[in-house]
Amino acid sequence: QLVESGGGLVQSGGSLRLSCAASGFTLTYYGIGWFRQAPGKEREFVAHISRGGAATTYAESVKARFTISRDNAKNTVYLQMNSLKPEDTAVYYCATTARTTLTMYARHYEYWGQGTQVTVSS
């Protein structure tokens, strides 16, 4: 089971840190992605981190503002979100992939959390 937390309401320019914790299995063997879905829009890729954490990739819209990281000892992946904008408002999901290469395609991810709401006010 994957459980996201850390969402909430924040003003434009503010920061939040999302967490994705796993229970019942270890995240060490998986690449982890963050996705988001705004009302009326398709789910979109946000960031990905490799199994060991050495490699990351970001959507252009969040590059230089968001940072993905992982603590395998805590079985948790994080998404630090800075300089938030109203267009970042969405439900944020984490997901695991068994692929060894970085991927931004939702179909490549097998297990998903339930999501956490992020709302950025202007």
Side-chain angles (χ1 to χ4, degrees):
Q1 183 181 9
L2 289 174
V3 178
E4 302 95 336
S5 61
L9 174 63
V10 64
Q11 289 187 335
S12 182
S15 298
L16 284 173
R17 187 176 80 156
L18 305 184
S19 298
C20 171
S23 61
F25 68 102
T26 178
L27 290 178
T28 304
Y29 304 113
Y30 298 93
I32 305 298
W34 282 97
F35 290 77
R36 65 186 182 186
Q37 187 166 19
K41 294 187 177 181
E42 294 186 354
R43 189 169 299 189
E44 66 172 354
F45 170 79
V46 175
H48 174 106
I49 189 166
S50 62
R51 294 177 180 182
T56 58
T57 190
Y58 298 90
E60 285 297 323
S61 60
V62 306
K63 199 171 290 186
R65 299 189 298 123
F66 290 12
T67 303
I68 189 171
S69 62
R70 66 190 302 160
D71 185 339
N72 284 340
K74 294 183 178 180
N75 216 24
T76 302
V77 174
Y78 304 98
L79 184 68
Q80 178 66 44
M81 307 187 296
N82 299 328
S83 302
L84 283 162
K85 306 175 181 179
E87 51 263 44
D88 294 318
T89 295
V91 177
Y92 283 71
Y93 301 88
C94 64
T96 66
T97 179
R99 289 175 174 257
T100 57
T101 54
L102 298 176
T103 177
M104 63 179 67
Y105 299 106
R107 64 181 182 273
H108 291 164
Y109 291 79
E110 299 90 11
Y111 300 105
W112 294 77
Q114 83 291 346
T116 185
Q117 176 70 47
V118 171
T119 303
V120 184
S121 62
S122 57

